[in-house]
Amino acid sequence: METRQECGPLLKQINDEMRKNANNALRAKDLTLTQLEALIQLEQAPEGQHSLKELEQILHVAQSTAAGIMSRLEQKGYVEGFGDAGDRRIKLVRITPAGVECVRTALHHRAEAEERLLSGLTEAERNIFYMLLQKVRNSL
């Protein structure tokens, strides 16, 4: 009888290991992956800012969670919160220069981790692997 190969457990193991390594690296900066994702989103946004409501949607979290994330990032000096001049009910969040530097450092570490992950593959295999990952993701 032929044994069926399952990719789900392998994907989970890869994800778990990468997540563990990322969390260990971020712990030195007292950050979580979600906080880093918020900083990345702000760094890539026009003018380096989003409304708190937009961040809730981008991060797929509740309003209270988004507010907590931003509060902790503000305490660390990575973001600054302020009100919208046109509508005081809207809370805006802008990344600071310290936040931008934090993102650049974290993205450098992420690139190094990805390089370690793919180190056993040739360039051609990497291209095929990436293409196949995109194809699987697009089918979801």
Side-chain angles (χ1 to χ4, degrees):
M1 183 163 95
E2 191 175 319
T3 304
R4 184 172 176 261
Q5 293 182 343
E6 293 185 18
C7 62
L10 288 173
L11 289 171
K12 182 174 180 344
Q13 288 170 357
I14 292 167
N15 179 66
D16 289 351
E17 187 64 24
M18 291 190 74
R19 200 169 186 74
K20 180 182 81 175
N21 292 340
N23 278 321
N24 287 339
L26 290 171
R27 195 170 294 120
K29 288 207 175 272
D30 191 29
L31 282 175
T32 67
L33 280 171
T34 304
Q35 290 171 345
L36 176 60
E37 182 59 29
L39 288 174
I40 290 170
Q41 291 299 324
L42 287 167
E43 199 266 337
Q44 294 174 349
E47 300 178 35
Q49 68 185 41
H50 275 299
S51 72
L52 194 55
K53 188 72 170 165
E54 289 169 331
L55 286 167
E56 289 171 36
Q57 294 166 347
I58 291 167
L59 300 173
H60 307 287
V61 297
Q63 181 205 8
S64 59
T65 302
I69 291 167
M70 291 307 119
S71 174
R72 285 184 287 284
L73 289 173
E74 194 166 18
Q75 290 168 3
K76 296 170 189 174
Y78 295 140
V79 302
E80 58 186 0
F82 58 100
D84 186 311
D87 187 343
R88 293 189 347 212
R89 296 171 298 178
I90 298 175
K91 169 100 171 166
L92 297 171
V93 181
R94 178 185 306 126
I95 193 166
T96 64
V100 170
E101 182 58 33
C102 179
V103 167
R104 292 207 173 114
T105 300
L107 292 179
H108 175 75
H109 288 302
R110 186 160 78 182
E112 287 177 341
E114 188 166 311
E115 182 57 36
R116 281 190 305 276
L117 172 74
L118 301 175
S119 65
L121 302 178
T122 66
E123 191 63 33
E125 289 170 331
R126 288 177 186 212
N127 291 332
I128 292 167
F129 182 64
Y130 186 73
M131 181 192 66
L132 290 172
L133 285 174
Q134 285 183 311
K135 196 171 185 177
V136 168
R137 185 210 52 214
N138 291 341
S139 69
L140 298 176

Short mmCIF file of all heavy atoms in Angstrom, two decimals, residues 1 8 20 24 26 28 31-32 39-40 47-48 50 71 78 85 88 99 101-103 106 108-109 115 127 131 133 139:
data_model
loop_
_atom_site.label_atom_id
_atom_site.label_comp_id
_atom_site.label_asym_id
_atom_site.label_seq_id
_atom_site.Cartn_x
_atom_site.Cartn_y
_atom_site.Cartn_z
N MET A 1 0.84 -1.18 0.00
CA MET A 1 0.00 0.00 0.00
C MET A 1 0.89 1.25 0.00
O MET A 1 1.84 1.34 0.77
CB MET A 1 -0.89 -0.02 1.24
CG MET A 1 -1.85 1.12 1.28
SD MET A 1 -3.20 0.82 2.44
CE MET A 1 -2.59 1.65 3.88
N GLY A 8 0.84 19.43 4.81
CA GLY A 8 0.38 20.24 5.94
C GLY A 8 1.30 20.18 7.14
O GLY A 8 1.73 21.23 7.66
N LYS A 20 9.33 30.72 15.81
CA LYS A 20 10.14 30.64 17.03
C LYS A 20 11.41 31.48 16.89
O LYS A 20 11.76 32.26 17.77
CB LYS A 20 10.48 29.19 17.34
CG LYS A 20 11.32 29.01 18.61
CD LYS A 20 11.68 27.56 18.85
CE LYS A 20 12.87 27.25 17.98
NZ LYS A 20 13.44 25.94 18.14
N ASN A 24 12.32 34.88 18.97
CA ASN A 24 13.57 34.97 19.74
C ASN A 24 14.36 36.22 19.35
O ASN A 24 14.90 36.91 20.22
CB ASN A 24 14.42 33.72 19.56
CG ASN A 24 13.85 32.52 20.29
OD1 ASN A 24 13.07 32.66 21.23
ND2 ASN A 24 14.24 31.33 19.86
N LEU A 26 13.13 38.97 18.00
CA LEU A 26 12.37 40.17 18.37
C LEU A 26 12.35 40.41 19.88
O LEU A 26 12.19 41.54 20.33
CB LEU A 26 10.93 40.07 17.85
CG LEU A 26 10.78 40.18 16.34
CD1 LEU A 26 9.35 39.85 15.93
CD2 LEU A 26 11.18 41.56 15.87
N ALA A 28 14.70 40.49 21.89
CA ALA A 28 15.77 41.41 22.25
C ALA A 28 15.33 42.87 22.13
O ALA A 28 15.81 43.73 22.85
CB ALA A 28 16.99 41.16 21.38
N LEU A 31 9.69 43.14 21.25
CA LEU A 31 8.62 43.23 20.26
C LEU A 31 8.00 41.86 20.02
O LEU A 31 8.64 40.84 20.23
CB LEU A 31 9.16 43.73 18.92
CG LEU A 31 9.46 45.20 18.76
CD1 LEU A 31 10.09 45.45 17.40
CD2 LEU A 31 8.21 46.04 18.92
N THR A 32 6.76 41.88 19.52
CA THR A 32 6.10 40.66 19.07
C THR A 32 5.99 40.71 17.54
O THR A 32 6.17 41.78 16.94
CB THR A 32 4.67 40.54 19.66
OG1 THR A 32 3.86 41.60 19.11
CG2 THR A 32 4.69 40.61 21.18
N LEU A 39 4.31 47.83 12.55
CA LEU A 39 5.34 48.79 12.16
C LEU A 39 5.64 48.71 10.67
O LEU A 39 5.81 49.74 10.01
CB LEU A 39 6.63 48.53 12.96
CG LEU A 39 6.60 48.92 14.43
CD1 LEU A 39 7.88 48.48 15.13
CD2 LEU A 39 6.38 50.42 14.60
N ILE A 40 5.69 47.50 10.13
CA ILE A 40 5.94 47.34 8.68
C ILE A 40 4.81 48.00 7.89
O ILE A 40 5.07 48.71 6.90
CB ILE A 40 6.08 45.85 8.32
CG1 ILE A 40 7.37 45.28 8.89
CG2 ILE A 40 6.01 45.63 6.80
CD1 ILE A 40 7.50 43.77 8.80
N GLU A 47 2.92 58.59 3.85
CA GLU A 47 3.22 59.46 4.99
C GLU A 47 3.51 58.68 6.27
O GLU A 47 3.54 59.25 7.36
CB GLU A 47 2.11 60.49 5.22
CG GLU A 47 1.87 61.40 4.02
CD GLU A 47 0.74 62.38 4.24
OE1 GLU A 47 0.58 62.86 5.38
OE2 GLU A 47 0.02 62.66 3.27
N GLY A 48 3.69 57.36 6.17
CA GLY A 48 4.03 56.55 7.33
C GLY A 48 2.95 56.48 8.38
O GLY A 48 3.24 56.30 9.56
N HIS A 50 -1.41 55.47 9.43
CA HIS A 50 -2.72 54.86 9.21
C HIS A 50 -3.63 55.31 10.34
O HIS A 50 -3.14 55.66 11.42
CB HIS A 50 -2.65 53.33 9.26
CG HIS A 50 -2.27 52.66 7.99
ND1 HIS A 50 -3.02 52.75 6.83
CD2 HIS A 50 -1.22 51.85 7.69
CE1 HIS A 50 -2.44 52.04 5.89
NE2 HIS A 50 -1.34 51.48 6.37
N SER A 71 -0.42 51.36 21.71
CA SER A 71 -0.01 51.94 22.99
C SER A 71 1.37 51.43 23.39
O SER A 71 2.24 52.21 23.81
CB SER A 71 -1.05 51.59 24.06
OG SER A 71 -0.61 52.02 25.32
N TYR A 78 8.31 53.88 19.04
CA TYR A 78 8.29 53.47 17.63
C TYR A 78 7.16 54.11 16.83
O TYR A 78 7.23 54.14 15.61
CB TYR A 78 8.18 51.95 17.52
CG TYR A 78 9.39 51.21 18.06
CD1 TYR A 78 9.26 50.05 18.77
CD2 TYR A 78 10.69 51.68 17.83
CE1 TYR A 78 10.36 49.36 19.26
CE2 TYR A 78 11.80 51.02 18.31
CZ TYR A 78 11.63 49.85 19.02
OH TYR A 78 12.73 49.18 19.49
N ALA A 85 -7.06 66.19 12.28
CA ALA A 85 -7.44 67.60 12.39
C ALA A 85 -8.86 67.83 11.90
O ALA A 85 -9.57 68.71 12.40
CB ALA A 85 -6.46 68.47 11.61
N ARG A 88 -11.97 64.82 14.99
CA ARG A 88 -11.27 64.47 16.23
C ARG A 88 -11.61 63.07 16.74
O ARG A 88 -10.96 62.56 17.63
CB ARG A 88 -11.56 65.53 17.31
CG ARG A 88 -10.94 66.85 16.92
CD ARG A 88 -10.96 67.92 17.97
NE ARG A 88 -11.81 67.69 19.12
CZ ARG A 88 -12.42 68.65 19.79
NH1 ARG A 88 -12.31 69.89 19.38
NH2 ARG A 88 -13.15 68.37 20.84
N GLY A 99 11.07 53.81 14.85
CA GLY A 99 10.25 52.71 14.32
C GLY A 99 10.74 52.28 12.95
O GLY A 99 10.80 51.08 12.65
N GLU A 101 13.78 52.56 11.80
CA GLU A 101 15.05 51.84 12.00
C GLU A 101 14.79 50.43 12.52
O GLU A 101 15.44 49.47 12.08
CB GLU A 101 15.94 52.62 12.98
CG GLU A 101 17.29 51.98 13.20
CD GLU A 101 18.10 51.81 11.91
OE1 GLU A 101 18.00 52.65 11.00
OE2 GLU A 101 18.83 50.81 11.82
N CYS A 102 13.83 50.28 13.39
CA CYS A 102 13.46 48.97 13.92
C CYS A 102 12.99 48.05 12.79
O CYS A 102 13.37 46.89 12.72
CB CYS A 102 12.37 49.13 14.98
SG CYS A 102 11.82 47.57 15.69
N VAL A 103 12.16 48.58 11.89
CA VAL A 103 11.66 47.80 10.75
C VAL A 103 12.82 47.38 9.86
O VAL A 103 12.91 46.21 9.46
CB VAL A 103 10.61 48.60 9.93
CG1 VAL A 103 10.32 47.94 8.60
CG2 VAL A 103 9.33 48.76 10.73
N ALA A 106 14.72 44.59 11.52
CA ALA A 106 13.93 43.35 11.54
C ALA A 106 13.84 42.72 10.16
O ALA A 106 13.94 41.50 10.03
CB ALA A 106 12.54 43.64 12.09
N HIS A 108 16.02 42.98 7.81
CA HIS A 108 17.35 42.41 7.54
C HIS A 108 17.46 41.02 8.19
O HIS A 108 17.91 40.07 7.55
CB HIS A 108 18.44 43.35 8.06
CG HIS A 108 19.82 42.79 7.93
ND1 HIS A 108 20.48 42.70 6.72
CD2 HIS A 108 20.65 42.26 8.85
CE1 HIS A 108 21.66 42.14 6.90
NE2 HIS A 108 21.79 41.87 8.19
N HIS A 109 17.02 40.92 9.45
CA HIS A 109 17.05 39.63 10.14
C HIS A 109 16.13 38.62 9.45
O HIS A 109 16.46 37.44 9.35
CB HIS A 109 16.65 39.78 11.61
CG HIS A 109 17.68 40.46 12.44
ND1 HIS A 109 18.97 40.00 12.58
CD2 HIS A 109 17.62 41.58 13.19
CE1 HIS A 109 19.65 40.80 13.36
NE2 HIS A 109 18.86 41.78 13.75
N GLU A 115 17.17 33.21 4.06
CA GLU A 115 18.35 32.67 3.38
C GLU A 115 18.75 31.33 4.01
O GLU A 115 19.06 30.37 3.31
CB GLU A 115 19.51 33.67 3.44
CG GLU A 115 20.75 33.20 2.72
CD GLU A 115 20.54 32.87 1.25
OE1 GLU A 115 19.74 33.54 0.57
OE2 GLU A 115 21.16 31.90 0.78
N ASN A 127 13.45 29.23 -7.18
CA ASN A 127 12.45 29.84 -8.05
C ASN A 127 11.22 28.95 -8.19
O ASN A 127 10.08 29.43 -8.14
CB ASN A 127 13.05 30.15 -9.42
CG ASN A 127 14.06 31.26 -9.36
OD1 ASN A 127 14.00 32.14 -8.50
ND2 ASN A 127 15.02 31.23 -10.26
N MET A 131 7.46 29.79 -6.80
CA MET A 131 6.34 29.73 -7.74
C MET A 131 5.25 28.79 -7.22
O MET A 131 4.06 29.10 -7.28
CB MET A 131 6.82 29.27 -9.12
CG MET A 131 5.72 29.22 -10.17
SD MET A 131 6.28 28.35 -11.65
CE MET A 131 6.50 26.69 -11.04
N LEU A 133 4.72 27.88 -4.05
CA LEU A 133 4.09 28.48 -2.86
C LEU A 133 3.04 29.52 -3.28
O LEU A 133 1.93 29.55 -2.71
CB LEU A 133 5.14 29.14 -1.97
CG LEU A 133 6.01 28.21 -1.14
CD1 LEU A 133 7.09 29.01 -0.42
CD2 LEU A 133 5.18 27.41 -0.16
N SER A 139 -4.61 29.49 -4.61
CA SER A 139 -5.75 28.56 -4.72
C SER A 139 -6.61 28.55 -3.46
O SER A 139 -7.67 27.93 -3.43
CB SER A 139 -5.25 27.15 -5.02
OG SER A 139 -4.58 26.60 -3.89
#
